[in-house]
Amino acid sequence: MSTAPRIDIDPAAFWQDPYPMLARFRKEAPIVFVPQLGSTLLCNRDDIFVSEKQIDVFSSHQPQGLMNKLMGHNMMRKDGDAHLAERKAIFPAISPKTVKTHWTAQFQAHADRIIDALEAKSSVDFVQAFALPFSAECLKSITGLTNMRFEDMNAWSQGMIDGIANYTGDPAIEARCNAATSGIDAAIDDMLPVLSKKPDLSLLGVMLECGMPMESVRANIKLAISGGQNEPRDAIAGTVWALLTHPDQLARLQDGSVSWMQAFEEYARWISPIGMSPRRIAKPWRIREVEFEPEERVFLMFGSANRDEKHFDHAEAFDIGRDVSKSIAFGAGPHFCAGAWASRAMVADVALPAIFARLKNLRTVSPPRIGGWAFRGLLDLPVTWDA
Ligand code: HEM
């Protein structure tokens, strides 16, 4: 175990709102051991920005980890050449060019269809009515599993996320995760003959095309589903909520003086959908006065880094006018989000402009429920508009 100072947390309060404790950590002990999490946390931006690139120390290879056990050995749990080979294989499906020339039009069609169905109504839970189905429909396109229902995409993504965080070993959570991975395997089996006859630019299509071993194909599809559903969903609902509660800033977007991309990036900094990513210490290491032992678990706290006072003034405030270039909402190393370009197109090029253009005088009905620290987002967002 590391020699980092120990500070206890109240897990329930930390789930409700992690930011006060994260600010205290950055001030008192930016590298801190938290007994309730059984891990040493890196909380300031510069330590994470440097350490995430030192893969010989901060390793993603976690053979005993729940992700490998439940979802198979995917690229996010590999280091070095093994990792880069799989990143290279999926690039044709998620490259900026493919997102621009191939996926954005499909994302737009999903948004238009879902908003068409909304227009007959005048008030909904925005998470359930738009953010969730839109994120899932886009992910069905990107993964190539167009044979799935959007409800399954969302439920199976959540089932896996709960499964890989199931440190207490709850059998019901594990069973739900196993049901999710079996459902995805069946959907993949169903699509194999279709894609072998007519390969496409989806993740499944390009991985099959390059001859990747099937167990890696399955593991990487499950990774994309576990990491590609909640995050855009939470970023869309969160940014809409942030703008509806900051009408002066919404006005600057609607008059075009600030871009929707800037609004999305600022939200992802302010409330990072992925607040933490784990690493395994691969060799004895030292950062300033803290010594790390091999095999211990370290959490890279992206959510804290993005509120680091050293890089962001009034970091606790949502401000679309600020410089967000130092944000590490998509990571800061070789595992930088493979879906970053697709997400930017989904949220800033398609969802936000469409929602605010078509739902006139959109406004909140009551405050949303919000929660989480490893993954953080709105659980609901009651809204209404002038139908
Ligand atoms: C707002 C949306 C999103 C956010 C904030 C986000 C954030 C992240 C972060 C922080 C990481 C890096 C984790 C690390 O360094 O350990 C990551 C990795 C990853 N993300 Fe995303 N993500 C988003 C959307 C997506 C989408 C839509 C997809 C799927 C198409 C996706 C697929 C992946 C994959 C495959 C990795 C692993 C990359 C690797 O290991 O090389 N993400 N994401």
Side-chain angles (χ1 to χ4, degrees):
M1 207 177 291
S2 78
T3 60
R6 275 142 185 65
I7 300 181
D8 289 301
I9 61 166
D10 165 359
F14 197 62
W15 186 91
Q16 281 295 339
D17 182 359
Y19 298 114
M21 278 309 285
L22 294 174
R24 179 181 162 199
F25 293 158
R26 287 192 301 276
K27 194 155 177 252
E28 295 174 20
I31 302 179
V32 60
F33 180 80
V34 176
Q36 291 76 14
L37 303 179
S39 302
T40 300
L41 281 52
L42 269 56
C43 299
N44 73 18
R45 185 209 179 260
D46 293 344
D47 284 340
I48 296 171
F49 192 76
V50 170
S51 302
E52 194 177 351
K53 298 172 182 67
Q54 298 167 316
I55 58 172
D56 57 330
V57 181
F58 296 90
S59 170
S60 294
H61 183 49
Q62 301 159 39
Q64 311 313 324
L66 284 170
M67 187 180 256
N68 280 34
K69 183 174 155 231
L70 294 166
M71 294 167 52
H73 195 186
N74 61 51
M75 70 175 73
M76 199 154 98
R77 289 292 179 265
K78 294 179 182 177
D79 291 324
D81 293 346
H83 166 236
L84 293 178
E86 297 190 8
R87 273 301 288 237
K88 195 160 165 256
I90 67 165
F91 189 69
I94 42 96
S95 72
K97 180 167 172 267
T98 303
V99 168
K100 194 158 190 262
T101 59
H102 185 69
W103 296 124
T104 301
Q106 296 189 31
F107 297 164
Q108 189 67 57
H110 295 320
D112 295 344
R113 190 181 64 252
I114 297 167
I115 298 174
D116 288 348
L118 277 185
E119 279 189 326
K121 303 180 178 155
S122 64
S123 67
V124 294
D125 169 4
F126 182 80
V127 174
Q128 294 299 322
F130 181 85
L132 184 159
F134 174 70
S135 186
E137 292 294 349
C138 294
L139 197 51
K140 284 165 54 175
S141 301
I142 300 171
T143 56
L145 298 181
T146 50
N147 54 339
M148 283 173 67
R149 301 179 320 132
F150 80 79
E151 295 89 339
D152 291 336
M153 185 60 91
N154 190 70
W156 294 347
S157 175
Q158 194 62 51
M160 291 188 289
I161 288 174
D162 296 342
I164 61 176
N166 183 22
Y167 298 122
T168 55
D170 179 325
I173 292 177
E174 186 164 336
R176 217 158 24 85
C177 182
N178 292 336
T181 53
S182 313
I184 295 167
D185 281 328
I188 291 173
D189 293 340
D190 199 32
M191 288 307 290
L192 290 180
V194 179
L195 287 170
S196 46
K197 247 195 242 105
K198 202 164 167 280
D200 67 9
L201 280 172
S202 69
L203 285 169
L204 186 55
V206 299
M207 288 193 280
L208 292 173
E209 188 73 1
C210 76
M212 187 185 288
M214 264 324 284
E215 65 186 54
S216 297
V217 171
R218 293 180 189 281
N220 285 320
I221 290 288
K222 288 165 190 166
L223 170 67
I225 293 176
S226 69
Q229 167 60 15
N230 291 16
E231 294 73 11
R233 178 197 70 194
D234 295 345
I236 294 165
T239 310
V240 167
W241 167 61
L243 295 173
L244 292 179
T245 49
H246 297 78
D248 53 326
Q249 301 193 43
L250 175 57
R252 293 165 62 193
L253 287 156
Q254 288 173 322
D255 71 17
S257 54
V258 179
S259 71
W260 294 105
M261 190 65 73
Q262 178 68 16
F264 163 53
E265 298 278 3
E266 169 57 0
Y267 176 81
R269 177 204 70 81
W270 185 48
I271 301 180
S272 301
I274 293 191
M276 179 280 281
S277 193
R279 295 293 189 272
R280 175 183 61 86
I281 296 291
K283 66 182 185 184
W285 194 246
R286 183 192 181 94
I287 300 179
R288 295 184 294 280
E289 72 291 338
V290 175
E291 293 184 10
F292 295 85
E293 282 178 8
E295 302 313 313
E296 70 166 293
R297 186 170 61 193
V298 166
F299 286 169
L300 307 178
M301 303 300 284
F302 298 131
S304 172
N306 286 334
R307 290 202 181 195
D308 189 335
E309 297 77 1
K310 187 174 166 208
H311 294 283
F312 305 103
D313 291 338
H314 305 295
E316 71 300 336
F318 175 75
D319 175 7
I320 61 173
R322 75 165 76 240
D323 172 4
V324 288
S325 58
K326 287 283 176 68
S327 167
I328 54 172
F330 287 110
H335 291 279
F336 180 83
C337 178
W341 299 285
S343 303
R344 287 170 172 142
M346 284 164 63
V347 181
D349 297 341
V350 173
L352 296 176
I355 287 291
F356 284 104
R358 295 189 56 187
L359 302 184
K360 302 293 180 216
N361 191 19
L362 182 68
R363 50 207 187 274
T364 58
V365 170
S366 55
R369 290 172 301 134
I370 182 167
W373 62 273
F375 301 93
R376 188 164 180 80
L378 277 58
L379 289 93
D380 61 11
L381 180 60
V383 296
T384 186
W385 61 90
D386 299 346

